[in-house]
Amino acid sequence: MFRFKIFLMLLVLGPAAIGQQATPVSIAQPENPETISRHIYGHFAEHLGRCIYEGFYVGEGSPIPNTDGIRSDIVAALRELSIPNLRWPGGCFADTYHWKDGIGPKEERPTIVNTWWGGVTEDNSFGTHDFLNLCELLDTDPYITGNVGSGTVQELADWVQYTNFDGKSPMSDLRRQNGRDEPWKVKYWGIGNEAWGCGGNMRPEYYADEYRKYATFLSNSGIEGGVYKIASGASDDDYNWTEVLMKNVPARLLQGVALHHYSVIDWNAKSSSVDFTEEQYFQTMERSWRMQELIEKHVAIMDKYDPEGRVDLVVDEWGGWYDVIDGTNPGFLYQQNTMRDAMIAGLVLNIFNNNARRVKMANLAQTVNVLQAVILTEGEKMLLTPTYHVMHMYKVHQDAALLPVTLDSPEYEVAGEKLPALSVSASRDPAGKVHISLVNIDAGQSHPVSIDLKGVSSGNLTGKILQSGNLQDHNTFDNPDKVRPSDFSDFRVRNGMLTMELPPFSVVVLSED
Ligand code: AHR
């Protein structure tokens, strides 16, 4: 009888749980909670590889169903994600882009060479109208990055007038001449991109002065609360960049400071996107956890110069970066997307949620066919990646009130190196429903957790889980649903305590009914 009970226990808890204490997770309810800005769930579309051309844009004459050249299946999939903003046209491309090349009759537009990405000819057939109409189809806010590296203040000021000005002006007349009467009213503008590198190799002192000049001439006309200006920010742990910017740019000219951090193992040895080892997986997770430290340290500098919290941190490039798929153009950054990417997404989005005080916007790089894409295409075929599914599961946190969580995570150890295995974030949505997202990055072990829900939630919860048999599992055009979320009910709520077992490398979202 006793043996039978142990056998039953093993069946219920799973072998990993035996002898393992459940990790207690507590959820606080502050009186004035931070809001998790929906803009943390933003995306990025650069003129790079097959993101725009052969991705979003197939052209008006394509047999693939489209609206003015924009693929209808991509629009439908992204609308499902409720994407809050889309960053365009780059990236490095932005500081080579002259927007007037991309307006007017398509057959008359000049070509340029996309010098950063594959040296291919850019025919400018996808331009400002195409992008802003795409944003309308997606019901998302456009976030345009201006050209500081090779452009002029006048050029960027003109672009803002072209997209935003209601009255009569040279640029609004030109817009009307090109078929658009109403302004699009673009609120989010980046003043250059990676000014420390592809955006001009500037020193922070020089860029800070350039920024001040550009920001002065961007008109707020027609935009409620004014245009939201984002300074090109630091790469990874370049804290001096943030320090110099915050010190030298007055907060009245600055709404957001950017930060770029990719989960890349080593720029000279990135690993295959599919055939990677557990050690490489672990290193990718280490780079992803690093986002927490980077945010804390950049925010500490921002707090020093802006204690009122007027300037936001905008992580406008993040995600996994691996070797390109064999046989593809190395400049196109085309990679597959596995359970490893799902784990990056779950972990980093929890970090953003938990840092909602300053992190108000973020952009996963990039939406279609480039880096950690949510969508891949091949001809008329399209698939949703594991990352897409995590984004979909997490959309419940958009504009919800952050409920801070506390836990002391068990460790995930590989080759003597250790990382916290578990990451959790929680929120209460405007309808009062609680959502808890949990990630176990441990590739070999499940981990039991217990969550005290007393006074937080009724405990009537439903769950979704993303898991798969192998870390390397991914969706292909022949098997597009290999990795997909399923219902998760493997938890118990008794007397306000939730207990559950988080399977190895899984992402779970629990939502109040
Ligand atoms: O996302 C790809 C590239 O990475 C972007 O163009 C650039 O800003 C960054 O270095």
Side-chain angles (χ1 to χ4, degrees):
M1 184 64 183
F2 180 65
R3 272 203 203 142
F4 180 65
K5 272 190 182 159
I6 292 190
F7 174 69
L8 273 183
M9 234 169 75
L10 275 168
L11 271 184
V12 172
L13 295 176
I18 302 307
Q20 226 196 110
Q21 286 279 12
T23 299
V25 177
S26 60
I27 301 181
Q29 295 204 85
E31 260 182 37
N32 295 307
E34 297 291 343
T35 298
I36 299 174
S37 164
R38 68 180 189 284
H39 287 291
I40 284 173
Y41 291 83
H43 290 262
F44 175 28
E46 182 166 9
H47 286 235
L48 193 177
R50 297 189 302 116
C51 183
I52 299 292
Y53 304 110
E54 292 183 51
F56 276 106
Y57 183 72
V58 286
E60 289 78 350
S62 170
I64 298 170
N66 68 81
T67 306
D68 298 330
I70 307 287
R71 272 183 89 130
S72 309
D73 50 0
I74 291 186
V75 169
L78 292 179
R79 282 185 70 95
E80 267 296 304
L81 281 189
S82 311
I83 77 168
N85 69 74
L86 186 60
R87 180 173 183 245
W88 174 85
C92 295
F93 180 77
D95 283 287
T96 65
Y97 184 62
H98 300 283
W99 68 271
K100 284 180 185 157
D101 292 347
I103 57 171
K106 296 202 171 185
E107 58 289 356
E108 290 170 21
R109 295 184 190 175
T111 57
I112 59 165
V113 178
N114 192 331
T115 44
W116 287 112
W117 307 119
V120 292
T121 302
E122 159 71 58
D123 69 2
N124 279 304
S125 54
F126 187 92
T128 300
H129 288 247
D130 306 272
F131 172 66
L132 294 174
N133 294 343
L134 162 64
C135 289
E136 286 185 342
L137 287 175
L138 294 173
D139 194 16
T140 197
D141 279 327
Y143 164 16
I144 295 184
T145 303
N147 180 346
V148 170
S150 68
T152 62
V153 176
Q154 186 63 54
E155 189 181 1
L156 187 49
D158 280 352
W159 204 0
V160 174
Q161 192 183 90
Y162 188 88
T163 59
N164 289 0
F165 193 62
D166 221 346
K168 185 170 168 50
S169 78
M171 290 303 116
S172 53
D173 284 350
L174 185 57
R175 182 188 71 230
R176 290 189 190 98
Q177 197 182 306
N178 288 326
R180 173 78 186 201
D181 192 14
E182 293 292 304
W184 290 277
K185 304 208 171 182
V186 180
K187 186 173 180 72
Y188 299 98
W189 290 87
I191 313 285
N193 169 73
E194 296 195 348
W196 42 264
C198 63
N201 282 309
M202 302 177 204
R203 292 173 303 110
E205 292 79 7
Y206 179 82
Y207 173 70
D209 282 348
E210 282 290 284
Y211 179 90
R212 293 167 64 121
K213 189 171 65 179
Y214 272 79
T216 305
F217 292 97
L218 295 202
S219 165
N220 290 321
S221 176
I223 302 296
E224 209 185 307
V227 155
Y228 184 103
K229 297 178 276 296
I230 300 162
S232 162
S235 170
D236 305 298
D237 58 357
D238 183 357
Y239 301 114
N240 182 51
W241 186 274
T242 302
E243 179 95 33
V244 173
L245 273 189
M246 292 302 297
K247 191 170 164 183
N248 292 299
V249 181
R252 70 186 157 77
L253 290 178
L254 182 65
Q255 283 67 52
V257 167
L259 167 66
H260 289 180
H261 172 62
Y262 284 97
S263 297
V264 61
I265 296 173
D266 178 336
W267 287 106
N268 299 312
K270 300 190 199 78
S271 94
S272 152
S273 59
V274 176
D275 299 318
F276 53 88
T277 62
E278 187 180 345
E279 208 168 336
Q280 289 170 324
Y281 164 73
F282 182 91
Q283 289 169 338
T284 307
M285 291 301 105
E286 193 278 331
R287 307 303 184 266
S288 305
W289 261 120
R290 202 177 279 178
M291 185 68 90
Q292 173 63 33
E293 178 190 332
L294 293 171
I295 290 174
E296 273 171 26
K297 291 188 173 167
H298 284 286
V299 165
I301 296 165
M302 296 174 77
D303 285 345
K304 186 166 85 178
Y305 292 100
D306 173 36
E308 304 87 5
R310 288 192 289 170
V311 182
D312 302 333
L313 186 61
V314 174
V315 189
D316 55 13
E317 288 187 30
W318 68 275
W321 191 323
Y322 317 111
D323 296 333
V324 298
I325 296 287
D326 282 349
T328 63
N329 187 327
F332 281 14
L333 310 187
Y334 179 64
Q335 60 191 40
Q336 246 298 354
N337 195 292
T338 65
M339 280 303 293
R340 169 167 66 171
D341 297 275
M343 306 314 292
I344 299 175
L347 182 53
V348 173
L349 290 171
N350 275 347
I351 293 173
F352 291 158
N353 286 348
N354 288 328
N355 288 279
R357 176 174 74 86
R358 247 329 154 170
V359 181
K360 298 289 184 196
M361 196 163 178
N363 301 80
L364 176 63
Q366 300 191 6
T367 325
V368 185
N369 292 332
V370 170
L371 298 177
Q372 191 175 340
V374 290
I375 289 172
L376 301 178
T377 64
E378 189 180 84
E380 78 291 353
K381 294 184 193 156
M382 182 197 91
L383 65 79
L384 308 177
T385 66
T387 302
Y388 176 96
H389 294 306
V390 174
M391 281 278 183
H392 193 261
M393 289 161 69
Y394 273 57
K395 74 175 186 177
V396 290
H397 291 303
Q398 292 189 20
D399 282 341
L402 175 70
L403 303 178
V405 291
T406 316
L407 74 153
D408 189 6
S409 173
E411 283 166 336
Y412 167 40
E413 182 172 346
V414 172
E417 302 286 324
K418 292 174 184 166
L419 286 174
L422 305 181
S423 137
V424 183
S425 72
S427 69
R428 188 184 297 285
D429 71 20
K433 309 285 186 196
V434 168
H435 305 278
I436 309 168
S437 43
L438 306 104
V439 178
N440 176 15
I441 62 166
D442 194 323
Q445 280 218 350
S446 60
H447 289 285
V449 293
S450 61
I451 309 178
D452 191 348
L453 294 175
K454 288 188 271 306
V456 175
S457 159
S458 63
N460 292 326
L461 301 165
T462 53
K464 286 269 178 215
I465 186 166
L466 192 74
Q467 62 178 347
S468 199
N470 298 297
L471 278 174
Q472 294 76 8
D473 283 351
H474 57 278
N475 294 333
T476 63
F477 295 102
D478 293 330
N479 191 3
D481 286 325
K482 182 170 178 66
V483 181
R484 62 188 300 191
S486 51
D487 291 340
F488 180 74
S489 54
D490 212 3
F491 58 90
R492 253 186 314 212
V493 183
R494 261 199 215 134
N495 302 324
M497 285 301 284
L498 182 148
T499 49
M500 64 182 285
E501 182 87 13
L502 261 177
F505 59 97
S506 64
V507 179
V508 169
V509 174
L510 302 173
S511 290
E512 208 169 8
D513 276 344

